[in-house]
């Protein structure tokens, strides 16, 4: 086994852990009473969630007029938030699926939490198109079902409907992928628990035993699901970008949108993963499993995708000028110099300029800077969507209908409210489920534990492992 | 809880490489292993136990094909037979526009179908409790189990000898 270990790879599990230590450390947060930090965070999150319920009720009761949208700017914070949340929801499946196919071992430290984040982010995203309908209770009209009105069907040629299929499929597949991975870990918690917790985890673990045949099928399932989820995750934001790209609005009608949206989605998703991981590893004391090495890897992805996004912004500007098409040229002039120039500056500085700091290895491994940067990127990506949607709509073909828009308190409340929804679910998740994939981390221990790997490995093999690992067969 | 009233003799190992050697040895000695339980997937176990390849991916392909056909045929029927509408001057049967939904349906059917199949064929599901041999198998112990319901005393002794020789840290019996 030790032959497969590279001496120059940094270890991904530190602290000389044994299998039992891994179980103890990762299951501990689900077994002890919540810390003060958790309780305070939960109170904030639930309050924001309550405010969300209030704002949704207000929107339904007073009507969509309680938002500041107008005839010209008919998409505002709602769709900005939708695209922002969907984008954030991309990192989880990217980590669990694409990195699984590429056999990246560092995914095991962060995949569980990132997948949970994906699911909650997609839930938040799904809220906005529904609330935006105004008549929330008719939301089921978006699904094609045989009805008594003809039957009248939905328009299968519309990207908005493709979105319905893409996002509901994405949500379902992410949920299944996440839950299947959780089953063996729930069994670990079950076998340690007593009383009502044992009953609960017994229910959640579906009768998992760890049989060799089950593990074989489990691995086969994970691999095929990863193979399916990889094109899926790329398709989702591609289809979201089609919402804009298939229109005939200058600034939206561009073929660069699909790759540019996908890169942006990965970028913002990893930023949110960093925000959560920096806090989670500290609060739950998981620094040995979510190491600086993991943070470094993710910052590299942020650097790459941030730079791709930057190239896309500049390409858009160049193509607008090169096209010789005045409406397109004006759309981009308006983005940079128009009434929403501040959003463009926010987008450029947060998304393109600031991640360039990550060329330095020292800065990539700085926790405080990583956290700050992750917040910057989250803000920058929100601005990106705002720039695309609002600044484009504000200056349409008819100067007489040009307009300006700023959000009402209800719209701001809905955004803050979905943050509450997101963090409420995330905090509950950290209490109920092992935040790091226990079984997967164990499976890489002998390849990436610091007593086996890295330049400074201690060479302190556990007795039994040492006796046989050099024998080979 | 399901019980089959099987008497099981099992040994616990502390390390997966020791376990793997033990499994090889058991196969070499022609001992009939009932099952092997591990806290995580151990590489090389499939070959050691001569497990046949999982057919789950074939099922996945079939589900995916059903999904693709369902999506595509439904849209075709609706837009050419049930309620034809012209959108943007395009033909009723505008195949390129059907691709995204066909793709999503393929992935949806394949994923849901495979997950349901996986849990069903493995005898798992909500509310199912399968008997386990030791609580530490999901923690840090690796287990080889033999069914000794029908075995003679002599055979049981031979298995215990096997556990001793192959480096098991604990040996016990349990009726499950």
């Amino acid at each position: 086994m030790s032959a497969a270990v590279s001496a120059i790879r940094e270890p991904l599990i530190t602290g000389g852990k044994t299998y039992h230590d891994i179980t103890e450390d990762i299951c501990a947060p689900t077994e002890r009473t919540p810390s003060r930090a958790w309780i305070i965070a939960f109170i904030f999150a639930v309050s924001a969630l309550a405010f969300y319920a209030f704002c949704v009720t207000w929107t339904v009761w007073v009507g969509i007029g309680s938002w500041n949208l107008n005839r010209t700017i008919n998409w505002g914070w709602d769709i900005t938030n939708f695209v922002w949340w969907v984008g954030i929801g991309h990192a989880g499946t990217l980590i669990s699926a694409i990195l699984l196919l590429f056999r990246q071992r560092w995914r095991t430290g962060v995949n569980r939490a990132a997948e949970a984040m994906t699911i909650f982010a997609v839930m938040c995203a799904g809220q906005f198109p529904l609330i935006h309908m105004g008549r929330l209770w008719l939301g089921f009209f978006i699904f094609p079902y045989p009805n008594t009105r003809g039957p009248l069907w939905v328009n299968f040629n519309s990207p908005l409907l493709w979105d319905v299929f893409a996002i509901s499929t994405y949500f379902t597949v992410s949920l299944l992928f996440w839950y299947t991975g959780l089953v063996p870990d729930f069994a670990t918690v079950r076998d340690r628990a007593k009383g009502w917790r044992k009953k609960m985890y017994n229910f959640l673990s579906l009768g998992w035993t760890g049989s060799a045949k089950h593990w074989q099928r489990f691995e086969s399932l994970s691999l095929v699901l990863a193979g399916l989820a990889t094109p899926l995750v790329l398709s989702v934001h591609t289809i979201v970008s089609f919402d804009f790209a298939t229109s005939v609005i200058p600034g939206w009608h561009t073929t660069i949108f699909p790759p540019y949206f996908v890169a942006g989605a990965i970028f913002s998703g990893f930023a949110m993963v960093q925000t959560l991981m920096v806090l989670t590893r500290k609060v739950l004391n998981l620094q040995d499993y979510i190491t600086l090495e993991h943070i470094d890897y993710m910052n590299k992805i942020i650097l790459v995708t941030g730079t791709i996004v930057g190239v896309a912004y500049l390409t858009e500007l160049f193509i607008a000028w090169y096209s010789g098409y005045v409406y397109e040229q004006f759309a981009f002039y308006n983005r940079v110099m128009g009434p929403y120039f501040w959003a463009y500056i926010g987008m450029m500085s947060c998304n393109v300029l600031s991640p360039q700091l990550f060329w330095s290895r020292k800065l990539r491994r700085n926790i405080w800077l990583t956290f700050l940067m992750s917040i910057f990127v989250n803000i920058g990506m929100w601005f990106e969507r705002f720039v695309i949607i609002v600044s484009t709509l504000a200056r349409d073909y008819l100067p007489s209908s040009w307009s300006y828009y700023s959000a009402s308190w209800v719209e701001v409340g809905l955004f803050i409210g979905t943050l509450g929804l997101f963090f409420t679910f995330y905090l509950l998740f950290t209490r109920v489920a092992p935040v790091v994939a226990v079984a997967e981390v164990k499976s890489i221990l002998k390849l990436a534990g610091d007593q086996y790997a890295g330049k400074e490995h201690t060479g302190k093999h556990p007795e039994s492992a040492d006796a046989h690992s050099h024998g080979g067969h | 809880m399901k019980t089959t009233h099987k008497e099981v003799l099992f040994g616990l190992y502390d390390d997966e490489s020791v376990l793997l050697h033990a499994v090889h040895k058991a196969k070499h000695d022609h001992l009939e292993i009932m099952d092997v339980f591990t806290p995580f997937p151990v590489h090389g176990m499939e070959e050691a136990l001569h497990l046949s390849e999982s057919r789950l991916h074939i099922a996945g392909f079939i589900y995916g094909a059903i999904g693709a056909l369902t999506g595509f045929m439904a849209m075709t029927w609706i837009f050419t037979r049930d309620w034809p509408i012209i959108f943007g001057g395009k033909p009723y049967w505008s195949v390129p526009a059907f691709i995204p939904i066909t793709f999503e349906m393929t992935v949806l059917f394949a994923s849901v179908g495979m997950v349901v199949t996986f849990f069903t064929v493995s005898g798992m599901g909500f509310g199912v409790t399968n008997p386990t041999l030791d609580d530490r198998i999901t923690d840090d112990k690796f287990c080889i189990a033999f069914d000794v319901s029908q075995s003679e005393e002599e055979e049981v002794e031979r298995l215990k000898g096997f556990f001793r020789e192959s480096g098991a840290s604990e040996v016990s019996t349990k009726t499950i």
Side-chain angles (χ1 to χ4, degrees), chain A residues 19-20 23 150-151 153 155 157 162 188 191 202 206-207 210-217 232 235 439 442 446 465, chain B residues 15-16 35-40 46 52 78 82-83 87 94 97 104 122 124-126 129-130 135 138-140:
Chain A
Y19 292 136
H20 183 64
T23 312
W153 298 98
N155 180 5
N157 296 351
W162 304 346
T188 303
D191 289 345
N202 189 32
L206 312 181
S211 156
K213 187 68 195 173
H214 294 176
W215 275 122
Q216 186 206 23
R217 291 192 187 122
L232 177 67
S235 84
K442 284 177 189 166
K446 297 234 172 134
Chain B
D15 192 88
E16 77 272 20
D35 209 341
V36 172
F37 300 96
T38 54
F40 56 85
E46 295 180 49
S52 54
I78 288 166
D82 192 51
W83 195 295
F87 293 103
S94 43
E104 302 297 335
S122 303
M124 286 187 260
F126 287 108
T129 304
N130 290 321
D135 280 349
T138 52
D139 177 8
D140 61 346

Side-chain angles (χ1 to χ4, degrees), chain A residues 394-429:
Chain A
R395 293 284 177 272
D396 65 3
Y397 290 104
L398 270 181
S400 60
S401 58
W402 286 0
S403 181
Y404 192 80
Y405 157 87
S406 47
S408 73
W409 66 266
V410 186
E411 292 170 274
V412 179
L414 287 169
F415 176 60
I416 295 169
T418 47
L419 284 170
L421 178 73
F422 178 78
F423 282 105
T424 303
F425 275 111
Y426 187 78
L427 288 164
L428 286 175
F429 155 74

Side-chain angles (χ1 to χ4, degrees), chain A residues 5 10-14 105 444-453:
Chain A
V5 179
E10 293 289 334
L12 295 170
I13 305 164
T14 57
R105 290 190 191 114
I444 65 156
L445 178 66
K446 297 234 172 134
L447 299 165
D450 63 351
Q451 67 272 53
Y452 304 100

Side-chain angles (χ1 to χ4, degrees), chain A residues 60-272:
Chain A
V60 171
W61 192 261
V62 178
I64 220 81
S66 60
W67 298 1
N68 275 351
L69 296 175
N70 54 45
R71 182 65 190 82
T72 306
I73 303 167
N74 41 27
W75 276 358
W77 275 49
D78 50 355
I79 303 301
T80 303
N81 297 339
F82 162 70
V83 182
W84 188 71
W85 277 120
V86 177
I88 288 171
H90 272 59
T93 309
L94 183 103
I95 290 175
S96 53
I98 298 182
L99 300 184
L100 178 90
L101 296 183
F102 284 122
R103 300 262 177 246
Q104 292 294 309
R105 290 190 191 114
W106 62 269
R107 58 176 273 285
T108 56
V110 291
N111 63 350
R112 171 70 43 75
E115 284 170 42
M117 180 208 78
T118 286
I119 291 160
F120 307 144
V122 175
M123 284 165 62
C124 291
Q127 307 291 317
F128 287 100
L130 285 173
I131 311 167
H132 169 88
M133 289 173 191
R135 280 177 280 177
L136 201 51
W137 54 95
L138 297 180
F140 64 95
F141 277 23
I142 59 175
F143 290 105
Y145 64 98
N147 53 59
T148 52
R149 303 185 298 277
L152 195 60
W153 298 98
V154 287
N155 180 5
F156 295 105
N157 296 351
S158 162
L160 295 175
L161 188 75
W162 304 346
D163 239 2
V164 172
F165 277 85
I167 289 175
S168 41
T169 301
Y170 185 59
F171 178 72
T172 314
V173 174
S174 305
L175 189 67
L176 291 174
F177 204 175
W178 178 67
Y179 198 83
T180 310
L182 264 169
V183 166
D185 290 358
F186 276 146
T188 303
V189 184
R190 169 196 72 196
D191 289 345
R192 296 160 54 82
K194 299 213 169 26
W196 66 270
R197 289 186 71 246
K198 184 149 194 122
K199 286 208 179 91
M200 181 177 109
Y201 285 105
N202 189 32
F203 181 79
L204 291 174
S205 61
L206 312 181
W208 177 264
T209 57
S211 156
K213 187 68 195 173
H214 294 176
W215 275 122
Q216 186 206 23
R217 291 192 187 122
F218 179 91
E219 290 214 290
S220 168
L221 176 70
S222 305
L223 193 62
V224 180
L225 279 185
L228 288 167
T230 299
L232 177 67
V233 70
L234 301 179
S235 84
V236 174
H237 227 62
T238 300
I239 291 176
V240 170
S241 81
F242 285 168
D243 291 347
F244 302 95
T246 58
S247 70
V248 283
I249 311 281
W252 287 3
H253 187 65
T254 59
T255 46
I256 200 177
F257 261 26
Y260 150 34
F261 267 51
V262 170
I266 295 165
F267 180 56
S268 66
F270 270 92
M272 190 57 108

